[in-house]
Amino acid sequence: MATSSREQEARDYLEKHRIMELLNYLTSNLLFFQPDKPREYLVSLLERLRLAKITGVAFPFLMDQSNIVAMFEMMDSSNKGTISFVQYKEALNTLGLCTADEVLKDDGHGITLDKFKQEVEDCSTVLWPEMFHPKANVTHCHVECN
């Protein structure tokens, strides 16, 4: 029983401090950008996160519009102009832009590039204030990535 209690304490700690979201974000960025010096890149990224927290300035999302479009186009290999709901959720999860309490119902329609770009932007502007300023009053992005 002691192990179970310690495991639960560890899970609670990680959840309280949103460590898994942070690690997911760091890993996603590392794999996406594949810098020549990964340790230096991670240190730089963490330093920017620290500065954003200290100054209260919104953390800049590291993907620009061309990166988001390229990601969408890779998923839309048949050039239909849409991706599936599953691809959409997986992409947001890969980018570290999902939180457990976000909900979006699959309406059966494909996700367009415009919707994808908007959701990536919305989720990125919501996730970072929540992570570093948990009491911030921000609107949730609309996706559940469980």
Side-chain angles (χ1 to χ4, degrees):
M1 273 301 166
T3 303
S4 178
S5 175
R6 288 186 58 99
E7 286 176 5
Q8 185 60 48
E9 286 176 25
R11 275 192 225 95
D12 292 345
Y13 177 84
L14 293 173
E15 185 176 322
K16 177 183 176 184
H17 296 284
R18 301 193 67 169
I19 300 299
M20 297 314 294
E21 287 93 341
L22 175 61
L23 292 174
N24 186 36
Y25 180 79
L26 293 172
T27 303
S28 296
N29 274 277
L30 189 63
L31 293 174
F32 185 83
F33 291 106
Q34 298 185 8
D36 291 334
K37 298 179 179 180
R39 288 182 182 90
E40 289 177 21
Y41 176 80
L42 289 172
V43 168
S44 171
L45 188 56
L46 287 168
E47 180 62 22
R48 285 185 277 170
L49 289 170
R50 186 182 72 79
L51 288 173
K53 182 177 182 180
I54 290 170
T55 62
V57 174
F59 181 75
F61 187 56
L62 298 177
M63 290 185 71
D64 63 21
Q65 289 293 314
S66 66
N67 298 135
I68 296 167
V69 170
M71 182 178 222
F72 182 89
E73 288 173 348
M74 286 189 307
M75 293 182 289
D76 182 23
S77 58
S78 62
N79 294 320
K80 294 187 302 183
T82 61
I83 59 174
S84 73
F85 185 75
V86 171
Q87 290 172 308
Y88 169 60
K89 284 175 53 172
E90 185 59 34
L92 291 178
N93 190 41
T94 298
L95 293 171
L97 296 177
C98 295
T99 62
D101 58 349
E102 296 162 356
V103 177
L104 177 68
K105 301 295 181 204
D106 183 359
D107 63 5
H109 295 84
I111 306 300
T112 64
L113 175 58
D114 288 338
K115 180 172 178 65
F116 182 69
K117 288 192 303 189
Q118 187 63 53
E119 284 296 325
V120 168
E121 182 179 325
D122 290 351
C123 291
S124 65
T125 58
V126 167
L127 182 62
W128 289 108
E130 284 182 347
M131 188 174 296
F132 293 103
H133 304 285
K135 296 180 184 190
N137 186 16
V138 291
T139 307
H140 283 70
C141 118
H142 312 289
V143 179
E144 178 182 330
C145 294
N146 293 339

